[in-house]
Coordinates of all heavy atoms in Angstrom, one line a residue:
M13 N -57.2 -31.6 -45.3 CA -56.0 -30.9 -45.9 C -56.1 -31.0 -47.4 O -56.5 -32.0 -48.0 CB -54.7 -31.6 -45.4 CG -53.5 -31.3 -46.1 SD -52.3 -30.3 -45.1 CE -50.9 -30.4 -46.1
L14 N -55.8 -29.9 -48.1 CA -55.9 -29.8 -49.5 C -54.7 -30.6 -50.1 O -53.6 -30.6 -49.6 CB -55.8 -28.4 -50.0 CG -57.1 -27.6 -49.8 CD1 -56.8 -26.1 -50.1 CD2 -58.3 -28.1 -50.6
E15 N -55.1 -31.3 -51.2 CA -54.0 -32.1 -51.9 C -53.1 -31.1 -52.7 O -53.6 -30.2 -53.3 CB -54.5 -33.1 -52.8 CG -54.5 -34.5 -52.2 CD -55.1 -35.5 -53.2 OE1 -54.5 -35.6 -54.3 OE2 -56.0 -36.2 -52.8
R16 N -51.8 -31.3 -52.5 CA -50.9 -30.5 -53.3 C -50.5 -31.1 -54.6 O -50.2 -32.3 -54.7 CB -49.6 -30.2 -52.5 CG -49.8 -29.3 -51.4 CD -48.5 -29.0 -50.7 NE -48.7 -28.2 -49.6 CZ -48.9 -26.9 -49.5 NH1 -48.9 -26.2 -50.7 NH2 -49.0 -26.2 -48.4
R17 N -50.6 -30.4 -55.7 CA -50.0 -30.9 -57.0 C -48.5 -30.8 -56.9 O -48.0 -29.9 -56.2 CB -50.5 -30.0 -58.1 CG -51.9 -30.3 -58.6 CD -52.3 -29.3 -59.7 NE -53.5 -28.7 -59.3 CZ -54.6 -28.7 -60.0 NH1 -54.6 -29.3 -61.2 NH2 -55.7 -28.2 -59.7
P18 N -47.8 -31.6 -57.7 CA -46.4 -31.5 -57.7 C -46.1 -30.1 -58.3 O -46.7 -29.7 -59.3 CB -45.9 -32.6 -58.7 CG -47.1 -33.4 -59.0 CD -48.4 -32.8 -58.5
K19 N -45.1 -29.5 -57.8 CA -44.7 -28.1 -58.3 C -44.2 -28.2 -59.7 O -43.4 -29.0 -60.0 CB -43.7 -27.5 -57.3 CG -44.3 -26.8 -56.2 CD -43.4 -25.9 -55.5 CE -44.0 -25.2 -54.4 NZ -43.2 -24.8 -53.3
K20 N -44.7 -27.3 -60.5 CA -44.1 -27.2 -61.9 C -42.8 -26.4 -61.8 O -42.7 -25.4 -61.1 CB -45.1 -26.4 -62.7 CG -46.1 -27.3 -63.4 CD -46.9 -26.5 -64.5 CE -48.2 -27.2 -64.8 NZ -49.3 -26.3 -65.1
A21 N -41.9 -26.9 -62.6 CA -40.6 -26.2 -62.7 C -40.9 -24.9 -63.5 O -41.4 -25.0 -64.7 CB -39.6 -27.0 -63.4
K22 N -40.7 -23.8 -62.9 CA -40.9 -22.5 -63.6 C -39.7 -22.1 -64.4 O -38.7 -21.6 -63.7 CB -41.4 -21.4 -62.7 CG -42.9 -21.7 -62.3 CD -43.3 -20.6 -61.3 CE -44.6 -21.1 -60.6 NZ -44.7 -20.6 -59.2
T23 N -39.7 -22.2 -65.7 CA -38.5 -21.8 -66.4 C -38.9 -20.5 -67.2 O -39.9 -20.6 -67.9 CB -37.9 -22.9 -67.3 OG1 -39.0 -23.4 -68.1 CG2 -37.3 -24.0 -66.6
V24 N -38.0 -19.6 -67.1 CA -38.3 -18.3 -67.9 C -37.4 -18.4 -69.1 O -36.2 -18.5 -69.0 CB -37.9 -17.1 -67.0 CG1 -38.2 -15.8 -67.8 CG2 -38.6 -17.1 -65.7
P25 N -38.1 -18.3 -70.3 CA -37.2 -18.4 -71.5 C -36.3 -17.1 -71.6 O -36.7 -16.0 -71.1 CB -38.2 -18.3 -72.7 CG -39.5 -17.8 -72.1 CD -39.5 -18.1 -70.6
P26 N -35.1 -17.3 -72.1 CA -34.2 -16.1 -72.2 C -34.7 -15.1 -73.1 O -35.4 -15.4 -74.1 CB -32.9 -16.7 -72.7 CG -33.3 -18.0 -73.4 CD -34.5 -18.5 -72.7
Q27 N -34.4 -13.9 -72.8 CA -34.7 -12.7 -73.7 C -33.9 -13.0 -75.0 O -32.7 -13.3 -75.0 CB -34.2 -11.4 -73.0 CG -34.3 -10.2 -73.9 CD -35.7 -9.7 -74.1 OE1 -36.4 -9.3 -73.1 NE2 -36.2 -9.8 -75.3
M28 N -34.6 -12.8 -76.1 CA -34.0 -13.0 -77.4 C -33.8 -11.6 -78.1 O -34.6 -10.7 -77.8 CB -34.8 -13.9 -78.3 CG -34.9 -15.3 -77.7 SD -33.3 -16.2 -77.6 CE -33.1 -16.8 -79.2
Y29 N -32.9 -11.5 -79.0 CA -32.5 -10.2 -79.7 C -32.6 -10.4 -81.2 O -32.0 -11.4 -81.7 CB -31.2 -9.8 -79.2 CG -31.1 -9.3 -77.8 CD1 -31.2 -10.3 -76.8 CD2 -31.1 -8.0 -77.5 CE1 -31.2 -9.9 -75.4 CE2 -31.1 -7.6 -76.1 CZ -31.2 -8.5 -75.1 OH -31.2 -8.1 -73.8
Q30 N -33.2 -9.5 -81.9 CA -33.1 -9.5 -83.3 C -31.9 -8.6 -83.8 O -31.7 -7.5 -83.2 CB -34.4 -9.1 -84.0 CG -35.0 -7.8 -83.5 CD -36.4 -7.5 -84.1 OE1 -37.1 -8.5 -84.5 NE2 -36.8 -6.3 -84.1
V31 N -31.2 -9.1 -84.8 CA -30.1 -8.3 -85.3 C -30.7 -7.7 -86.6 O -31.2 -8.3 -87.5 CB -28.9 -9.2 -85.6 CG1 -27.8 -8.4 -86.3 CG2 -28.4 -9.8 -84.3
V32 N -30.5 -6.3 -86.7 CA -31.1 -5.5 -87.7 C -30.0 -4.8 -88.4 O -29.1 -4.2 -87.9 CB -32.1 -4.5 -87.0 CG1 -32.7 -3.5 -88.0 CG2 -33.2 -5.2 -86.2
L33 N -30.2 -4.8 -89.8 CA -29.3 -4.0 -90.6 C -30.1 -2.7 -91.1 O -31.3 -2.8 -91.3 CB -28.9 -4.7 -91.9 CG -27.8 -5.8 -91.8 CD1 -27.4 -6.3 -93.2 CD2 -26.5 -5.2 -91.1
L34 N -29.4 -1.6 -91.1 CA -30.0 -0.3 -91.5 C -29.6 0.0 -92.8 O -28.4 -0.2 -93.3 CB -29.6 0.8 -90.4 CG -29.8 0.4 -89.0 CD1 -29.4 1.6 -88.1 CD2 -31.3 0.1 -88.7
N35 N -30.5 0.7 -93.6 CA -30.2 1.2 -94.9 C -29.2 2.4 -94.9 O -29.2 3.1 -93.9 CB -31.4 1.5 -95.7 CG -31.2 1.8 -97.1 OD1 -30.3 1.2 -97.8 ND2 -31.9 2.7 -97.7
D36 N -28.5 2.6 -95.9 CA -27.7 3.8 -96.1 C -27.6 4.0 -97.6 O -28.0 3.1 -98.3 CB -26.4 3.8 -95.4 CG -25.5 2.7 -96.0 OD1 -25.0 2.9 -97.1 OD2 -25.2 1.7 -95.4
D37 N -27.1 5.2 -98.0 CA -27.0 5.5 -99.5 C -25.7 5.0 -100.1 O -25.6 5.1 -101.4 CB -27.1 7.0 -99.7 CG -28.5 7.4 -99.3 OD1 -29.5 6.7 -99.3 OD2 -28.7 8.7 -99.1
Y38 N -24.8 4.4 -99.3 CA -23.4 4.2 -99.9 C -23.0 2.8 -100.0 O -22.2 2.4 -100.8 CB -22.4 5.0 -99.1 CG -22.8 6.5 -99.1 CD1 -23.3 7.1 -98.0 CD2 -22.5 7.3 -100.2 CE1 -23.7 8.4 -97.9 CE2 -22.9 8.6 -100.2 CZ -23.4 9.2 -99.0 OH -23.8 10.5 -99.0
T39 N -23.4 2.0 -99.0 CA -23.0 0.6 -99.0 C -23.5 -0.2 -100.2 O -24.7 -0.1 -100.5 CB -23.4 -0.2 -97.7 OG1 -23.0 0.6 -96.6 CG2 -22.9 -1.6 -97.7
P40 N -22.6 -0.9 -101.0 CA -23.1 -1.6 -102.2 C -24.1 -2.7 -101.9 O -23.9 -3.4 -100.9 CB -21.8 -2.1 -102.8 CG -20.7 -1.3 -102.3 CD -21.1 -0.9 -100.9
M41 N -25.1 -2.9 -102.7 CA -26.0 -3.9 -102.5 C -25.4 -5.3 -102.4 O -25.7 -6.1 -101.5 CB -27.1 -4.0 -103.6 CG -28.0 -2.8 -103.6 SD -29.3 -2.9 -104.9 CE -30.3 -1.5 -104.4
E42 N -24.4 -5.5 -103.3 CA -23.7 -6.8 -103.3 C -23.0 -7.1 -101.9 O -23.0 -8.2 -101.5 CB -22.7 -6.8 -104.4 CG -21.8 -8.1 -104.5 CD -22.6 -9.4 -104.7 OE1 -23.7 -9.4 -105.2 OE2 -22.0 -10.4 -104.4
F43 N -22.4 -6.1 -101.4 CA -21.7 -6.3 -100.1 C -22.7 -6.6 -99.0 O -22.5 -7.6 -98.2 CB -21.0 -4.9 -99.6 CG -20.3 -5.1 -98.3 CD1 -19.0 -5.7 -98.3 CD2 -20.8 -4.6 -97.1 CE1 -18.3 -5.8 -97.1 CE2 -20.2 -4.8 -95.9 CZ -18.9 -5.4 -95.9
V44 N -23.9 -6.1 -99.0 CA -24.9 -6.4 -98.0 C -25.4 -7.8 -98.2 O -25.5 -8.6 -97.2 CB -26.1 -5.4 -98.1 CG1 -27.2 -5.7 -97.0 CG2 -25.6 -4.0 -97.9
V45 N -25.6 -8.2 -99.4 CA -26.0 -9.6 -99.7 C -25.0 -10.6 -99.2 O -25.3 -11.6 -98.5 CB -26.3 -9.8 -101.2 CG1 -26.5 -11.3 -101.6 CG2 -27.5 -9.0 -101.7
V46 N -23.7 -10.3 -99.5 CA -22.7 -11.2 -99.0 C -22.6 -11.3 -97.4 O -22.4 -12.3 -96.8 CB -21.3 -10.8 -99.6 CG1 -20.1 -11.6 -99.0 CG2 -21.3 -11.0 -101.1
V47 N -22.7 -10.1 -96.8 CA -22.8 -10.1 -95.3 C -23.9 -10.9 -94.8 O -23.7 -11.7 -93.8 CB -22.9 -8.6 -94.8 CG1 -23.4 -8.5 -93.4 CG2 -21.5 -7.9 -95.0
I48 N -25.0 -10.8 -95.4 CA -26.2 -11.6 -94.8 C -26.0 -13.1 -95.0 O -26.3 -13.9 -94.2 CB -27.5 -11.1 -95.5 CG1 -27.8 -9.6 -95.1 CG2 -28.7 -12.0 -95.1 CD1 -29.0 -9.0 -95.9
Q49 N -25.4 -13.4 -96.2 CA -25.0 -14.8 -96.4 C -24.0 -15.4 -95.4 O -24.2 -16.4 -94.8 CB -24.5 -15.0 -97.8 CG -25.5 -14.9 -98.9 CD -24.9 -15.2 -100.3 OE1 -24.5 -14.3 -101.0 NE2 -24.8 -16.5 -100.6
E50 N -22.9 -14.6 -95.3 CA -21.8 -15.0 -94.5 C -22.1 -15.1 -93.0 O -21.7 -16.0 -92.3 CB -20.6 -14.1 -94.7 CG -20.1 -14.1 -96.2 CD -18.8 -14.8 -96.3 OE1 -17.9 -14.5 -95.5 OE2 -18.6 -15.5 -97.3
F51 N -22.7 -14.0 -92.5 CA -22.9 -13.9 -91.0 C -24.2 -14.5 -90.5 O -24.3 -14.7 -89.3 CB -22.6 -12.5 -90.6 CG -21.2 -12.0 -90.8 CD1 -21.0 -11.0 -91.7 CD2 -20.2 -12.6 -90.1 CE1 -19.7 -10.6 -91.9 CE2 -18.9 -12.2 -90.3 CZ -18.6 -11.2 -91.2
F52 N -25.2 -14.6 -91.4 CA -26.5 -15.0 -91.0 C -26.9 -16.3 -91.6 O -28.1 -16.7 -91.4 CB -27.5 -13.9 -91.2 CG -27.2 -12.6 -90.4 CD1 -26.5 -11.6 -91.0 CD2 -27.4 -12.5 -89.1 CE1 -26.1 -10.4 -90.3 CE2 -27.1 -11.4 -88.4 CZ -26.4 -10.3 -89.0
G53 N -26.1 -16.9 -92.4 CA -26.3 -18.2 -92.9 C -27.5 -18.3 -93.9 O -28.1 -19.4 -94.1
K54 N -27.8 -17.2 -94.6 CA -28.9 -17.3 -95.6 C -28.4 -17.6 -96.9 O -27.2 -17.3 -97.3 CB -29.6 -15.9 -95.6 CG -30.0 -15.3 -94.3 CD -31.1 -16.2 -93.6 CE -31.7 -15.5 -92.4 NZ -32.5 -16.3 -91.6
D55 N -29.2 -18.3 -97.7 CA -28.8 -18.5 -99.2 C -28.9 -17.2 -99.9 O -29.5 -16.2 -99.4 CB -29.6 -19.7 -99.8 CG -31.1 -19.4 -99.9 OD1 -31.5 -18.2 -100.0 OD2 -31.9 -20.3 -99.7
R56 N -28.3 -17.2 -101.1 CA -28.2 -16.0 -101.9 C -29.6 -15.3 -102.1 O -29.7 -14.1 -102.1 CB -27.4 -16.3 -103.2 CG -27.1 -15.0 -103.8 CD -26.0 -15.1 -104.9 NE -25.9 -13.8 -105.5 CZ -25.1 -12.8 -105.0 NH1 -24.3 -13.0 -104.0 NH2 -25.0 -11.7 -105.6
E57 N -30.6 -16.2 -102.5 CA -31.9 -15.6 -102.8 C -32.5 -14.9 -101.6 O -33.0 -13.9 -101.7 CB -32.8 -16.8 -103.3 CG -33.9 -16.3 -104.1 CD -34.8 -17.5 -104.6 OE1 -34.2 -18.4 -105.2 OE2 -36.0 -17.5 -104.4
T58 N -32.5 -15.6 -100.4 CA -33.0 -15.1 -99.2 C -32.3 -13.8 -98.8 O -32.9 -12.8 -98.4 CB -33.0 -16.1 -98.0 OG1 -33.6 -17.3 -98.5 CG2 -33.6 -15.6 -96.8
A59 N -31.0 -13.8 -98.9 CA -30.1 -12.7 -98.6 C -30.5 -11.5 -99.5 O -30.6 -10.4 -99.0 CB -28.7 -13.0 -98.7
T60 N -30.7 -11.7 -100.7 CA -31.1 -10.7 -101.7 C -32.4 -10.1 -101.3 O -32.6 -8.9 -101.3 CB -31.1 -11.2 -103.2 OG1 -29.8 -11.8 -103.4 CG2 -31.4 -10.1 -104.1
Q61 N -33.4 -10.9 -100.9 CA -34.7 -10.5 -100.5 C -34.6 -9.6 -99.3 O -35.3 -8.5 -99.2 CB -35.6 -11.7 -100.2 CG -36.2 -12.3 -101.5 CD -36.9 -13.6 -101.3 OE1 -37.0 -14.0 -100.1 NE2 -37.3 -14.3 -102.3
I62 N -33.8 -10.0 -98.3 CA -33.7 -9.2 -97.1 C -33.0 -7.9 -97.4 O -33.4 -6.9 -96.9 CB -32.8 -10.0 -96.0 CG1 -33.6 -11.3 -95.6 CG2 -32.5 -9.1 -94.8 CD1 -32.8 -12.2 -94.7
M63 N -31.9 -7.9 -98.2 CA -31.2 -6.7 -98.6 C -32.2 -5.7 -99.3 O -32.2 -4.5 -99.0 CB -30.1 -7.0 -99.5 CG -29.2 -5.8 -100.0 SD -30.0 -4.9 -101.3 CE -29.9 -6.1 -102.6
L64 N -33.1 -6.2 -100.2 CA -34.0 -5.3 -100.9 C -35.1 -4.8 -99.9 O -35.5 -3.6 -100.1 CB -34.7 -6.1 -102.0 CG -33.8 -6.3 -103.3 CD1 -34.5 -7.2 -104.3 CD2 -33.4 -5.0 -103.9
K65 N -35.5 -5.6 -99.0 CA -36.4 -5.1 -97.9 C -35.8 -3.9 -97.2 O -36.4 -2.9 -96.9 CB -36.8 -6.2 -97.0 CG -38.0 -5.9 -96.1 CD -37.7 -6.3 -94.6 CE -38.8 -5.9 -93.7 NZ -38.7 -4.6 -93.1
I66 N -34.5 -4.1 -96.8 CA -33.8 -3.0 -96.0 C -33.7 -1.8 -96.9 O -34.0 -0.7 -96.5 CB -32.4 -3.5 -95.6 CG1 -32.4 -4.8 -94.8 CG2 -31.7 -2.4 -94.8 CD1 -31.1 -5.5 -94.6
H67 N -33.3 -2.0 -98.2 CA -33.2 -0.8 -99.1 C -34.5 -0.1 -99.2 O -34.5 1.1 -99.3 CB -32.8 -1.4 -100.4 CG -32.6 -0.4 -101.5 ND1 -31.5 0.5 -101.5 CD2 -33.3 -0.2 -102.7 CE1 -31.6 1.3 -102.6 NE2 -32.7 0.9 -103.3
L68 N -35.6 -0.8 -99.2 CA -36.9 -0.1 -99.5 C -37.5 0.4 -98.2 O -38.1 1.5 -98.1 CB -37.9 -1.1 -100.1 CG -37.5 -1.6 -101.5 CD1 -38.5 -2.7 -102.0 CD2 -37.6 -0.4 -102.5
D69 N -37.4 -0.4 -97.1 CA -38.1 0.0 -95.8 C -37.2 0.7 -94.8 O -37.7 1.2 -93.8 CB -38.6 -1.3 -95.1 CG -39.6 -2.0 -95.8 OD1 -40.1 -1.5 -96.9 OD2 -40.0 -3.1 -95.4
G70 N -35.9 0.7 -95.0 CA -35.0 1.4 -94.1 C -34.3 0.5 -93.2 O -33.2 0.9 -92.6
K71 N -34.9 -0.6 -92.9 CA -34.2 -1.6 -92.0 C -34.8 -3.0 -92.2 O -35.9 -3.1 -92.7 CB -34.3 -1.1 -90.5 CG -35.6 -1.1 -89.9 CD -35.5 -0.7 -88.5 CE -36.9 -0.8 -87.8 NZ -36.8 -0.6 -86.3
G72 N -34.1 -4.0 -91.7 CA -34.6 -5.3 -91.8 C -33.9 -6.3 -90.8 O -32.7 -6.1 -90.5
V73 N -34.7 -7.3 -90.4 CA -34.1 -8.3 -89.5 C -33.4 -9.4 -90.2 O -33.9 -9.9 -91.2 CB -35.3 -8.9 -88.7 CG1 -34.8 -10.0 -87.7 CG2 -36.1 -7.8 -87.9
C74 N -32.2 -9.7 -89.8 CA -31.4 -10.7 -90.4 C -31.4 -12.0 -89.6 O -31.0 -13.0 -90.1 CB -29.9 -10.2 -90.5 SG -29.8 -8.8 -91.7
G75 N -31.8 -11.9 -88.3 CA -31.8 -13.2 -87.5 C -32.2 -12.8 -86.1 O -32.1 -11.6 -85.7
V76 N -32.5 -13.9 -85.3 CA -32.9 -13.7 -83.9 C -32.0 -14.6 -83.1 O -31.9 -15.9 -83.4 CB -34.4 -14.0 -83.7 CG1 -34.7 -14.1 -82.2 CG2 -35.3 -13.1 -84.4
F77 N -31.4 -14.1 -82.0 CA -30.3 -14.9 -81.3 C -30.4 -14.5 -79.8 O -31.0 -13.5 -79.4 CB -29.0 -14.5 -81.8 CG -28.8 -14.6 -83.3 CD1 -28.9 -13.5 -84.1 CD2 -28.5 -15.8 -83.9 CE1 -28.8 -13.6 -85.5 CE2 -28.3 -15.9 -85.3 CZ -28.5 -14.8 -86.1
S78 N -29.6 -15.3 -79.0 CA -29.4 -14.9 -77.6 C -28.6 -13.7 -77.6 O -28.0 -13.3 -78.6 CB -28.6 -16.1 -76.9 OG -27.4 -16.1 -77.4
K79 N -28.5 -13.0 -76.4 CA -27.9 -11.7 -76.3 C -26.4 -11.8 -76.8 O -25.9 -10.9 -77.6 CB -27.9 -11.2 -74.9 CG -27.4 -9.8 -74.7 CD -27.7 -9.3 -73.3 CE -27.6 -7.8 -73.3 NZ -27.8 -7.2 -72.0
D80 N -25.7 -12.8 -76.3 CA -24.2 -12.9 -76.6 C -24.0 -13.1 -78.1 O -23.1 -12.4 -78.7 CB -23.6 -14.1 -75.9 CG -23.3 -13.8 -74.5 OD1 -23.7 -12.7 -74.0 OD2 -22.7 -14.7 -73.8
V81 N -24.8 -14.0 -78.7 CA -24.6 -14.3 -80.1 C -25.0 -13.0 -81.0 O -24.3 -12.7 -81.9 CB -25.4 -15.5 -80.6 CG1 -25.3 -15.7 -82.1 CG2 -25.0 -16.8 -79.8
A82 N -26.1 -12.4 -80.6 CA -26.6 -11.2 -81.3 C -25.5 -10.1 -81.3 O -25.2 -9.5 -82.3 CB -27.9 -10.7 -80.7
S83 N -24.9 -9.9 -80.1 CA -23.9 -8.9 -79.9 C -22.7 -9.2 -80.8 O -22.0 -8.3 -81.3 CB -23.6 -8.8 -78.4 OG -22.5 -8.0 -78.2
T84 N -22.3 -10.5 -80.8 CA -21.2 -10.9 -81.7 C -21.4 -10.7 -83.1 O -20.6 -10.2 -83.8 CB -20.8 -12.4 -81.4 OG1 -20.5 -12.6 -80.1 CG2 -19.7 -12.9 -82.3
K85 N -22.6 -10.9 -83.6 CA -23.0 -10.7 -85.0 C -22.9 -9.2 -85.3 O -22.3 -8.9 -86.3 CB -24.5 -11.1 -85.3 CG -24.8 -12.6 -85.0 CD -24.4 -13.4 -86.1 CE -24.6 -14.9 -85.9 NZ -23.9 -15.8 -86.7
V86 N -23.3 -8.3 -84.4 CA -23.3 -6.9 -84.6 C -21.8 -6.5 -84.7 O -21.4 -5.8 -85.7 CB -23.9 -6.1 -83.5 CG1 -23.6 -4.6 -83.5 CG2 -25.4 -6.3 -83.4
D87 N -20.9 -7.0 -83.9 CA -19.5 -6.7 -83.9 C -18.9 -7.2 -85.2 O -18.1 -6.5 -85.8 CB -18.8 -7.4 -82.8 CG -19.1 -6.7 -81.4 OD1 -19.7 -5.6 -81.4 OD2 -18.8 -7.3 -80.4
Q88 N -19.2 -8.4 -85.6 CA -18.6 -9.0 -86.9 C -19.0 -8.2 -88.1 O -18.2 -7.9 -89.0 CB -19.1 -10.4 -87.1 CG -18.5 -11.4 -86.0 CD -19.1 -12.8 -86.2 OE1 -20.2 -13.0 -86.5 NE2 -18.2 -13.8 -85.9
V89 N -20.3 -7.8 -88.2 CA -20.8 -7.1 -89.3 C -20.2 -5.7 -89.3 O -19.7 -5.2 -90.4 CB -22.3 -7.0 -89.3 CG1 -22.8 -6.0 -90.4 CG2 -23.0 -8.4 -89.5
T90 N -20.1 -5.0 -88.2 CA -19.6 -3.7 -88.1 C -18.1 -3.7 -88.5 O -17.6 -2.8 -89.2 CB -19.7 -3.2 -86.7 OG1 -21.1 -3.2 -86.3 CG2 -19.3 -1.7 -86.5
E91 N -17.4 -4.7 -88.0 CA -15.9 -4.8 -88.4 C -15.7 -5.0 -89.9 O -14.9 -4.4 -90.5 CB -15.3 -5.9 -87.5 CG -13.9 -6.3 -87.9 CD -12.9 -5.2 -87.4 OE1 -13.3 -4.2 -86.9 OE2 -11.7 -5.4 -87.7
A92 N -16.5 -5.9 -90.5 CA -16.4 -6.2 -91.9 C -16.7 -5.0 -92.7 O -16.0 -4.7 -93.7 CB -17.4 -7.4 -92.3
A93 N -17.7 -4.2 -92.3 CA -18.1 -2.9 -93.0 C -17.0 -1.9 -92.9 O -16.6 -1.3 -93.9 CB -19.4 -2.4 -92.4
R94 N -16.4 -1.8 -91.7 CA -15.4 -0.8 -91.4 C -14.1 -1.2 -92.3 O -13.6 -0.3 -92.9 CB -15.0 -0.8 -89.9 CG -14.1 0.4 -89.5 CD -13.5 0.1 -88.2 NE -12.7 -1.1 -88.1 CZ -11.5 -1.2 -88.7 NH1 -10.9 -0.2 -89.4 NH2 -10.8 -2.3 -88.6
K95 N -13.8 -2.5 -92.3 CA -12.6 -2.9 -93.1 C -12.7 -2.6 -94.5 O -11.7 -2.4 -95.2 CB -12.4 -4.4 -92.9 CG -11.5 -4.8 -91.8 CD -11.2 -6.4 -91.9 CE -10.4 -6.9 -90.7 NZ -10.5 -8.4 -90.6
N96 N -14.0 -2.7 -95.0 CA -14.2 -2.5 -96.5 C -14.6 -1.1 -96.8 O -14.9 -0.7 -97.9 CB -15.3 -3.5 -96.9 CG -14.7 -4.9 -97.0 OD1 -14.2 -5.3 -98.1 ND2 -14.9 -5.7 -96.0
G97 N -14.6 -0.2 -95.8 CA -14.8 1.2 -96.0 C -16.3 1.6 -96.2 O -16.6 2.6 -96.9
H98 N -17.2 0.8 -95.7 CA -18.6 1.0 -95.9 C -19.3 1.5 -94.6 O -18.9 1.0 -93.5 CB -19.3 -0.2 -96.4 CG -18.8 -0.8 -97.7 ND1 -18.6 0.0 -98.8 CD2 -18.4 -2.0 -98.0 CE1 -18.1 -0.7 -99.8 NE2 -17.9 -1.9 -99.3
P99 N -20.3 2.4 -94.7 CA -20.9 2.9 -93.5 C -22.0 2.0 -92.9 O -22.8 2.5 -92.0 CB -21.5 4.3 -94.0 CG -21.8 4.0 -95.4 CD -20.8 3.0 -95.9
L100 N -22.2 0.8 -93.5 CA -23.3 -0.1 -93.0 C -23.4 -0.2 -91.5 O -22.4 -0.4 -90.8 CB -23.0 -1.5 -93.6 CG -24.0 -2.6 -93.3 CD1 -25.3 -2.3 -93.9 CD2 -23.5 -3.9 -93.8
Q101 N -24.6 0.0 -91.1 CA -24.9 -0.1 -89.6 C -25.7 -1.3 -89.2 O -26.7 -1.6 -90.0 CB -25.6 1.2 -89.1 CG -24.6 2.3 -88.9 CD -25.4 3.5 -88.3 OE1 -26.0 4.3 -89.0 NE2 -25.5 3.6 -87.0
C102 N -25.3 -1.9 -88.1 CA -26.0 -3.1 -87.7 C -26.3 -2.9 -86.1 O -25.3 -2.5 -85.4 CB -25.0 -4.3 -87.9 SG -25.7 -5.9 -87.4
V103 N -27.5 -3.2 -85.7 CA -27.8 -3.1 -84.3 C -28.6 -4.3 -83.8 O -29.1 -5.0 -84.7 CB -28.7 -1.8 -84.1 CG1 -27.9 -0.5 -84.4 CG2 -30.0 -1.8 -84.8
C104 N -28.7 -4.5 -82.5 CA -29.6 -5.5 -82.1 C -30.5 -4.9 -81.0 O -30.3 -3.9 -80.4 CB -28.8 -6.7 -81.5 SG -27.8 -6.4 -80.0
E105 N -31.7 -5.5 -81.0 CA -32.8 -5.0 -80.1 C -33.6 -6.2 -79.6 O -33.8 -7.2 -80.2 CB -33.7 -4.0 -80.9 CG -34.1 -4.5 -82.3 CD -34.7 -3.4 -83.1 OE1 -34.1 -2.3 -83.2 OE2 -35.8 -3.6 -83.7
P106 N -34.0 -6.1 -78.3 CA -34.7 -7.1 -77.6 C -36.1 -7.3 -78.3 O -36.7 -6.3 -78.8 CB -34.9 -6.7 -76.2 CG -34.6 -5.2 -76.2 CD -33.7 -4.9 -77.4
I107 N -36.6 -8.5 -78.4 CA -37.9 -8.7 -79.0 C -39.0 -9.0 -77.9 O -38.7 -9.5 -76.9 CB -37.9 -9.8 -80.1 CG1 -37.3 -11.1 -79.5 CG2 -37.1 -9.3 -81.3 CD1 -37.5 -12.2 -80.6
E108 N -40.2 -8.8 -78.3 CA -41.5 -9.0 -77.5 C -41.6 -8.0 -76.3 O -40.9 -7.1 -76.0 CB -41.6 -10.4 -76.9 CG -42.2 -11.3 -78.0 CD -41.7 -12.7 -78.0 OE1 -41.7 -13.4 -76.9 OE2 -41.2 -13.1 -79.0
Ligands
TYC228 N1 -29.2 1.5 -100.2 C1 -28.0 0.9 -100.7 C2 -27.7 1.2 -102.1 O1 -28.6 1.7 -102.8 C3 -28.0 -0.6 -100.5 C4 -28.1 -1.1 -99.1 C5 -29.0 -2.0 -98.7 C6 -27.3 -0.5 -98.1 C7 -29.1 -2.5 -97.4 C8 -27.4 -0.9 -96.7 O2 -28.4 -2.3 -95.1 C9 -28.3 -1.9 -96.4 N2 -26.5 0.9 -102.6

């Protein structure tokens, strides 16, 4: 009889989501920097770099989260933009 190894616990890591901000021609740079600081916990310098990347490339990743957290970030950013009258768009997308 073949010896059996102890079964490995097979855990599947949860699907993760990146939260992406999209560029537009109207949202002020300062507003985007503050949003990245407030909702994604980045310091001012990092937030400024991310904002400039979005401005130049059209979009940029602000963070990677579980589905629920990513979805909440999208809602929070969208609500803050709407309240302040800016067209800033925020989406989340599965990674890998
Ligand atoms: N392009 C905007 C401007 O020139 C700035 C901006 C950056 C807007 C990033 C949105 O996600 C954004 N005022």
Side-chain angles (χ1 to χ4, degrees):
M13 169 111 168
L14 290 172
E15 259 183 54
R16 285 186 189 280
R17 279 177 232 242
K19 273 195 179 152
K20 270 190 200 148
K22 286 179 193 146
T23 52
V24 182
Q27 173 74 62
M28 298 298 276
Y29 290 74
Q30 55 187 17
V31 177
V32 174
L33 283 185
L34 307 181
N35 189 35
D36 65 72
D37 291 339
Y38 304 102
T39 304
M41 289 183 173
E42 175 61 21
F43 182 79
V44 178
V45 171
V46 170
V47 159
I48 296 170
Q49 286 183 265
E50 299 248 318
F51 295 114
F52 299 97
K54 307 295 188 192
D55 61 34
R56 190 160 176 89
E57 200 178 308
T58 305
T60 303
Q61 284 169 5
I62 294 171
M63 181 279 295
L64 285 174
K65 190 227 179 266
I66 302 165
H67 179 70
L68 295 172
D69 295 354
K71 64 180 188 170
V73 178
C74 294
V76 173
F77 308 96
S78 65
K79 189 173 193 176
D80 280 6
V81 176
S83 171
T84 301
K85 300 280 178 198
V86 170
D87 291 348
Q88 288 173 328
V89 171
T90 304
E91 174 70 1
R94 193 197 57 74
K95 266 192 188 164
N96 287 274
H98 302 310
L100 180 64
Q101 276 186 276
C102 183
V103 297
C104 64
E105 46 194 48
I107 52 171
E108 276 146 56

